[in-house]
Amino acid sequence: MKTALKTRYLLIISLLSSLFYSPVKAQTDRDLLAYADPRIGTAHSRWFYFTPGAVPFGMAKPAPSTNGSYGNKSGWEAVGYDQRHTSIEGFANFHEFQIGGIVFAPSTGKLQILAGSLEHPETGYRSAFDHKDEIAMPGYYSVLLKDYGIKAELTSTKRVAFHRYTFPKSKQANIIFDIGHQQGESGEVTDAKVYLNANGRIEGYVITQPIYVQKYQPGASVKMYFSAIASKKPIAYGTFNGENISKGKKEANGKGAGLYLTFSTQEKESITLKAGLSYTSIENARLNQKQEAALLSFGQAKEKALNTWANYLGRIRVTSEKKQDLTKFYTGLYHALSGRGLASDVNGAYPKNDGGIGHIPLDKNNVPLHNHYNTDAIWGAFWNLTQLWAIAYPEYYSDWVKSQLLVYKDSGWLADGIANSRYVSGVGTNFTGLAIASAYNSGIRDFDVKTGYEAALKNELEFKNRPFGAGKPDLERFLKYGYVNHLDSGKGPDENWKFSASHTLEYAFSAYAVGQWAKLLDQTEDYHKLTALSDAWKTIFDPTIKFIRPKDAQGKFISGFNPKAAWRGFQEGNAWQYTFYVPQNPEGLISAIGKDEFNNRLDSIFTVSEKNKFGGGTTIDAFSGLESLYNHGNQPNLHISWLFNYAGKPSLTQKWVRKILDDFYGTEGIHGYGYGQDEDQGQLGAWYVMASMGIFDVKGFTDAVPEIGLSAPIFNTIKIKGNKKYFSGKDFEIETKNNHIENQYVESFLLNGTRLKTPFIKLKDIQNGGKLVVEMGKIED
């Protein structure tokens, strides 16, 4: 080999080596955006899952749909964007739990006003697309619509959706406003209106009846409003209802209503739409658009959105040699910040539970004192989302609490989940009081504490005149027997009668949380009453088989009991999974089972579950793991890999947490959060974020003085930015030494230079700032 060629060859090898083996490090917060991939796990994903055009916790969530117009049978099945599909039907602007609608779609040539089908896209305005022509990142989305040669781009501010469509040369370039059709989880459309104003604004609304709203608050509806302006005047316009087109008409009403604009465009000419959104009125949608976006161009809005995402993702910075781990981490963090979006306007107007309009108080600058949010049920979120909020996003946690208290003040009860403040319980329990208690116990206390405590206490102890949407429909039986008595048949929805054992465990845990809050508030009588209820798990623990087992009203354990069977006494799980649902007293559960048997059983559960990727295997179904021993794709046992810390075997927590992080979580469209599992607005992503940092609280920060369990971080360095408003403002850092693949176990934890005797620190240790050094090695404890 000639000397010059040899030198060049060695240089290339050296460069490749540095690329593949040197630590991956983001230089700025903007660099973190490259690690968040919204398309991961989009096969079989829920309606609110894929919203790359949104900002964190935003109302405006413009995103492409591949099957959004299909709706779904039960209100929760996968619908929206599926990366296995090959055509896009349009770009919906609202994407929340049970909320969806207001579709914009560009086209060229002959006007088509129906979406068309996946099987026959030519029957509608949908267009073929290719993933190679697509960019999806936090705050921005673009795609080439191949059938029309149109580049579509999306971004947003909090309440304003920006669409930019770059057309080819055409005498008939169309923009379709499909308003009166069902989208995603929105349910049946009952009314719609769209019109073109003399000043060129396109405005309107759609009213829907989501399935869960009808289940939990019959007769209630969800309203969505918009006010959009186009950057160019059309040469023609018209409206449509269903398949009927009315050229030159400016207004359409009713189900199926829509409007279109037609333009003459030059090659690569762009037309921008700015759409103000609101859940209260067209006037407020117009106001939101004016205040947030009147002076913003598409490019400026995009830059603002990207910078916002960089700031939020940059609250936690991690380093690793493995790009895959960074991708999982920041994609998980992205999803944790994407759900539960704004429901109030810039002037503080918000939709009330009774269908009216409420107003959040304003400060001296006429800015609302807080915001209101839509939210899926908080079921299981204490093992992921609320912990993440407490350590890195306390201002959002505070807002979320204040938002929930609006519903309480308006309706008299805390809501488990809400769509425009309408009840959408989803699972029939109600952990909102627990989450409010956890916020207070975590040091987030800038809310109406008196009302918050009153609401949480009522949620645990009162059942008279309780609306079905407030959850806990069998609370009276829980208080009467000290457990929920089992029924093998009953009247009404399943939540009324079917889930005796899981409800007993859940009510016991939430009672504990509010009891700990009562303790801090010196409410001694409440504390003792709630603490007694927190022991309810003991009443349905069968010591002969050492499983949680449903009991009837006579106090007898049910016969024909199969610990692996889901749904009989257990919601979305079974006795193998729910027996470990005693987060408020893990030591008591360990003692009841016996420490050695506890460790052996739990270890064997994970050994078996590893073969099935810790869930439902590769089966693409949200409920595919319900009858398995462990199911990471659902909420009921997300905490159990951390229970070894309480049973003298922290090495097994370190072992199994890492394996779950490696095997359950993936980085492509089908294998994202398991295989088509139910992400529930960021819960599984938030679990990855917490667990990969090696910090997690089984009790969900419900203790009066919360502790956090420790494991083996997968990252070399971690920095959680401090928050001056709520805590010390000092950063908390974690350094993992000797973090190599052969070193799977922790040899020591040093907190601020002091060696820890147990794998626990106080939550305050993180909030006060400091440094945790984790020394890794090969030896198990």
Side-chain angles (χ1 to χ4, degrees), residues 511-675:
Y512 174 83
V514 179
Q516 291 290 291
W517 189 9
K519 182 180 180 181
L520 289 174
L521 295 178
D522 293 324
Q523 299 292 328
T524 306
E525 185 177 345
D526 293 341
Y527 166 67
H528 289 302
K529 184 185 299 183
L530 292 163
T531 301
L533 289 174
S534 75
D535 282 336
W537 67 274
K538 297 177 181 177
T539 66
I540 59 168
F541 179 82
D542 186 345
T544 64
I545 57 174
K546 298 184 179 180
F547 275 98
I548 292 293
R549 183 175 179 177
K551 266 185 179 178
D552 62 22
Q554 287 71 45
K556 295 180 181 179
F557 289 114
I558 62 170
S559 60
F561 174 61
N562 176 5
K564 205 172 181 181
W567 303 111
R568 189 184 181 210
F570 300 94
Q571 185 164 17
E572 299 184 28
N574 58 36
W576 277 98
Q577 297 167 11
Y578 268 104
T579 291
F580 298 99
Y581 201 117
V582 189
Q584 71 273 23
N585 189 3
E587 296 91 348
L589 178 65
I590 293 164
S591 177
I593 294 176
K595 183 182 286 189
D596 290 341
E597 184 175 346
F598 179 93
N599 284 325
N600 290 336
R601 183 195 291 187
L602 194 53
D603 188 38
S604 66
I605 283 173
F606 286 113
T607 300
V608 171
S609 299
E610 182 180 13
K611 300 170 185 175
N612 220 27
K613 296 189 180 296
F614 301 104
T618 57
T619 301
I620 300 178
D621 186 285
F623 285 163
S624 61
L626 295 197
E627 295 198 346
S628 60
L629 302 181
Y630 175 78
N631 182 22
H632 197 78
N634 214 327
Q635 284 89 340
N637 55 174
L638 289 178
H639 64 299
I640 73 172
S641 56
W642 294 82
L643 290 175
F644 295 107
N645 276 351
Y646 294 89
K649 283 288 184 180
S651 64
L652 292 178
T653 283
Q654 296 154 24
K655 172 183 177 180
W656 292 116
V657 167
R658 280 204 171 197
K659 284 185 177 292
I660 293 168
L661 294 170
D662 289 342
D663 296 350
F664 179 83
Y665 292 86
T667 57
E668 44 88 24
I670 294 177
H671 183 195
Y673 300 100
Y675 285 77

Side-chain angles (χ1 to χ4, degrees), residues 247-305:
K247 295 181 180 180
K249 191 175 178 182
K250 289 188 175 182
E251 183 176 319
N253 296 274
K255 190 174 181 178
L259 184 145
Y260 68 88
L261 305 177
T262 298
F263 305 85
S264 175
T265 56
Q266 299 300 314
E267 184 68 25
K268 294 186 177 180
E269 181 179 356
S270 295
I271 297 175
T272 298
L273 299 174
K274 297 181 188 179
L277 305 178
S278 173
Y279 292 116
T280 62
S281 69
I282 290 172
E283 292 75 20
N284 281 334
R286 198 181 302 144
L287 179 65
N288 290 340
Q289 192 264 339
K290 179 181 178 181
Q291 287 203 16
E292 290 189 1
L295 302 178
L296 287 181
S297 67
F298 183 94
Q300 290 169 330
K302 175 186 172 183
E303 279 300 299
K304 189 175 180 181

Side-chain angles (χ1 to χ4, degrees), residues 367-385:
V367 175
L369 292 176
H370 62 88
N371 294 306
H372 187 46
Y373 298 90
N374 286 302
T375 175
D376 195 355
I378 207 72
W379 199 55
F382 35 78
W383 288 324
N384 35 65
L385 285 175

